[in-house]
Amino acid sequence: TGKTEVYFKVMEYWLNRGRQILYLVPEVSLTPQLLARIRGAFPGRDVRQYHSYMTRNQRQRIWLDAVEQNVDILVGTRSSLWVPMKNTGLIVVDEEHDSSFYQQSLPYYDGVEAALKKAALLDIPIILGSATPRVGHYHLVESDRLSLLRLTERPVGSFPTIEIIDMKEEKNPIISKRALEEIRQTISAAKQVFVFVHRKGYSNYVVCYTCGNTVSCPHCSVSMTYHRTDNSLKCHYCGYKEPAPKSCPVCGSMTLSARGFGTERVEHDLQKYFPSARIMRMDRETIDNPISYEKALLEISRKECQIIVGTKMITKGLDFPDVEMVLIVDADRLMSFPSYDSPETAFQHIAQVSGRSGRASIGKAFIQTFNPNNRIMKAAFERDYETFYLDEITLRKELNNPPFSKIAEVICYGETEDESGLLAEKIAEEIRQARIDSIEVFGPVAPLLSKLKNSYRMKVTVKLPPDANCEFLQKIQKKHPADVQIIINGIGGIV
Ligand SMILES: [Zn+2]
Ligand SMILES: [Zn+2]
């Protein structure tokens, strides 16, 4: 795509001055294709990759070579930020909007923010690339802290046409008649279809019609997902798995029903509609390492499958000439997280997915929604990032949300509900006592995920000015290393 050529030009400039390049990508799955391309563009340069699937020895080798300045270009995921390259001259962050840049386990950090910080400390340039930049970063352009380079021409082919399907008019709640028609036409023309589903699994929850009980994980406060392939219930938070019960564990009735849907269910339904179609499913259940991912990509490019059903995984860097149609099955689900940044995440997903088809031919994207007049749907439909951004930034300013503030979520853990509650109250009090200027303290409240892996959780939310000193939070973290977790400007849906 066009932005890669821009990166390459700037990289060449710094390489010719004897500097090293750090090239960050959201996921390891993107590195093989990219490495080949970079090596082709920079013959004779030492191009390496770095990610957490490599062995300890392989990673150590990279560290040593980086220190010795034997690496010209290091391509890797967020963990490559910590490789001690001696003479870094430029940092490139591709697909900077991608949520995979957030590390969602200890130590929590946002790889893009860390890259910006690193560039500032080293006093070197950094390039952030995206068709749907983060709202907070686009805002930095207004304040002249980043400059904007706009690519106006689409590199290959034209944009796909987008059609919004109003699901209120549909009898089938999963795949609309309109979409089925289009899929039929597309595959009979020997083209391929991508079907995007927000969640994996067959159904999202299992409910008893007699007593209303929802089968939930014994270790977490979430409902278990039904997986048809092995007739099991799984917790997507802690990995707990059990055979699917025949009767309700609470009342014993045989009236259990699987509700909601995920990739497995969509795959199953499509196979019913198109019995002879070759369907491939791509989610964390079927693809769990870079090798199986590579294999799947090969199958798509060899046209061994006609319909590909997958999660977010299928939105990443997939450019296949014969994928002519993209269907977003459950666009509404993207917007339903109770977090200030869920509109941004939803817009990015929809825009990225619908931008995938028709790279080489004229493609079509279909978005199924119960809210066709929603502003995010409209902006995605019109490919209008500017309007989306302006609405969003106005709203954030009014509500004093990032980038106009920092939001720190302080999660307190305990073995019992009381224990986590008491700790949270104590910490909220400590923060209020500190009397720091212009901060707001909310809570404690029980978060959506009030129990995780047998630990009870309570949340205190602190809103601070964007440049506020966070030392008092560091102090709290140090005082409670094991039972407090602090996330600053995290992404929605995790707490
Ligand atoms: Zn029951
Ligand atoms: Zn669980």
Side-chain angles (χ1 to χ4, degrees), residues 3 38 99 147 150 160 219 244 260 268 343 364 415 426:
K3 60 182 160 53
I38 296 179
S99 60
S147 49
R150 202 187 301 267
H219 313 291
H268 178 80
K364 298 176 202 165
E415 275 174 34
K426 205 179 113 200

Side-chain angles (χ1 to χ4, degrees), residues 28-322:
V28 52
S29 52
L30 296 178
T31 50
Q33 297 155 298
L34 181 65
L35 274 178
R37 221 176 137 187
I38 296 179
R39 290 198 172 115
F42 300 99
R45 297 288 185 185
D46 202 332
V47 183
R48 306 286 189 88
Q49 62 170 326
Y50 186 89
H51 53 73
S52 49
Y53 284 98
M54 297 168 76
T55 65
R56 211 186 157 82
N57 281 346
Q58 287 172 322
R59 277 184 284 170
Q60 198 179 24
R61 185 75 253 156
I62 301 278
W63 274 61
L64 294 172
D65 285 347
V67 173
E68 303 278 321
Q69 296 196 44
N70 291 332
V71 176
D72 292 316
I73 304 170
L74 184 65
V75 181
T77 51
R78 58 173 188 269
S79 57
S80 49
L81 269 168
W82 316 115
V83 176
M85 289 211 292
K86 257 280 181 54
N87 197 15
T88 311
L90 171 73
I91 302 176
V92 174
V93 184
D94 194 27
E95 306 290 343
E96 68 101 28
H97 61 274
D98 199 296
S99 60
S100 301
F101 281 116
Y102 288 90
Q103 171 142 322
Q104 300 199 33
S105 56
L106 278 172
Y108 287 84
Y109 68 93
D110 168 5
V112 185
E113 286 306 319
L116 283 165
K117 187 77 188 170
K118 183 167 182 163
L121 289 172
L122 296 175
D123 197 20
I124 57 169
I126 178 167
I127 308 178
L128 307 181
S130 174
T132 52
R134 293 193 199 177
V135 167
H137 290 159
Y138 203 72
H139 182 68
L140 292 178
V141 174
E142 278 177 29
S143 55
D144 280 336
R145 286 165 63 200
L146 282 179
S147 49
L148 179 69
L149 178 67
R150 202 187 301 267
L151 298 179
T152 45
E153 271 173 49
R154 199 166 198 244
V156 189
S158 57
F159 282 117
T161 57
I162 299 181
E163 187 176 319
I164 291 185
I165 299 173
D166 187 349
M167 293 302 281
K168 290 197 295 291
E169 327 245 298
E170 281 291 331
K171 282 198 201 80
N172 184 336
I174 302 182
I175 303 164
S176 60
K177 227 177 118 193
R178 177 90 187 92
L180 286 173
E181 232 173 72
E182 287 290 333
I183 294 174
R184 189 183 314 279
Q185 278 181 25
T186 309
I187 59 178
S188 61
K191 297 289 181 183
Q192 291 165 301
V193 181
F194 271 168
V195 179
F196 174 79
V197 187
H198 186 53
R199 296 180 68 164
K200 61 181 183 168
Y202 189 82
S203 77
N204 307 133
Y205 58 101
V206 174
V207 66
C208 169
Y209 275 153
T210 307
C211 72
N213 167 50
T214 302
V215 185
S216 54
C217 173
H219 313 291
C220 310
S221 61
V222 289
S223 51
M224 305 264 279
T225 302
Y226 175 54
H227 288 256
R228 200 167 188 275
T229 331
D230 54 1
N231 195 36
S232 69
L233 294 181
K234 287 181 196 167
C235 170
H236 288 174
Y237 284 89
C238 73
Y240 173 78
K241 180 178 165 180
E242 63 180 36
K246 286 195 178 61
S247 59
C248 172
V250 171
C251 74
S253 310
M254 303 292 274
T255 50
L256 287 179
S257 169
R259 308 304 303 270
F261 61 88
T263 46
E264 243 188 88
R265 174 68 192 273
V266 172
E267 178 195 20
H268 178 80
D269 283 14
L270 284 171
Q271 198 72 77
K272 268 198 307 200
Y273 289 116
F274 306 107
S276 61
R278 293 181 306 277
I279 303 180
M280 178 166 75
R281 177 157 57 90
M282 285 180 80
D283 56 31
R284 287 270 169 247
E285 297 286 318
T286 60
I287 312 263
D288 55 4
N289 61 60
I291 295 159
S292 56
Y293 185 80
E294 277 295 289
K295 202 175 145 258
L297 297 191
L298 204 65
E299 278 175 37
I300 301 173
S301 65
R302 286 183 183 154
K303 296 182 77 173
E304 285 163 17
C305 49
Q306 297 163 291
I307 304 174
I308 299 97
V309 178
T311 53
K312 189 179 114 174
M313 187 183 279
I314 65 173
T315 67
K316 289 173 196 292
L318 303 181
D319 297 323
F320 297 99
D322 285 310

Side-chain angles (χ1 to χ4, degrees), residues 293-436:
Y293 185 80
E294 277 295 289
K295 202 175 145 258
L297 297 191
L298 204 65
E299 278 175 37
I300 301 173
S301 65
R302 286 183 183 154
K303 296 182 77 173
E304 285 163 17
C305 49
Q306 297 163 291
I307 304 174
I308 299 97
V309 178
T311 53
K312 189 179 114 174
M313 187 183 279
I314 65 173
T315 67
K316 289 173 196 292
L318 303 181
D319 297 323
F320 297 99
D322 285 310
V323 174
E324 210 175 63
M325 172 181 170
V326 168
L327 170 66
I328 301 176
V329 174
D330 49 356
D332 300 320
R333 197 114 34 112
L334 293 164
M335 285 179 289
S336 58
F337 286 117
S339 163
Y340 79 89
D341 64 348
S342 61
E344 175 175 353
T345 315
F347 176 81
Q348 287 165 343
H349 271 289
I350 296 169
Q352 292 284 339
V353 175
S354 58
R356 282 297 154 208
S357 65
R359 281 282 158 100
S361 52
I362 298 165
K364 298 176 202 165
F366 297 86
I367 306 172
Q368 296 188 159
T369 175
F370 285 91
N371 303 290
N373 294 318
N374 177 290
R375 71 175 170 100
I376 296 153
M377 293 297 165
K378 280 195 160 151
F381 174 69
E382 282 155 16
R383 287 178 212 298
D384 189 353
Y385 178 83
E386 286 292 331
T387 302
F388 165 75
Y389 167 77
L390 287 173
D391 281 354
E392 193 61 24
I393 203 80
T394 309
L395 205 62
R396 300 240 187 135
K397 190 160 194 169
E398 267 168 31
L399 301 173
N400 190 30
N401 277 334
F404 303 100
S405 66
K406 259 190 232 174
I407 294 182
E409 285 160 305
V410 184
I411 317 285
C412 304
Y413 289 84
E415 275 174 34
T416 62
E417 247 175 295
D418 283 351
E419 205 183 295
S420 64
L422 283 173
L423 177 61
E425 265 164 41
K426 205 179 113 200
I427 283 174
E429 196 47 40
E430 272 176 42
I431 299 172
R432 289 191 176 105
Q433 290 291 323
R435 292 182 190 285
I436 294 148

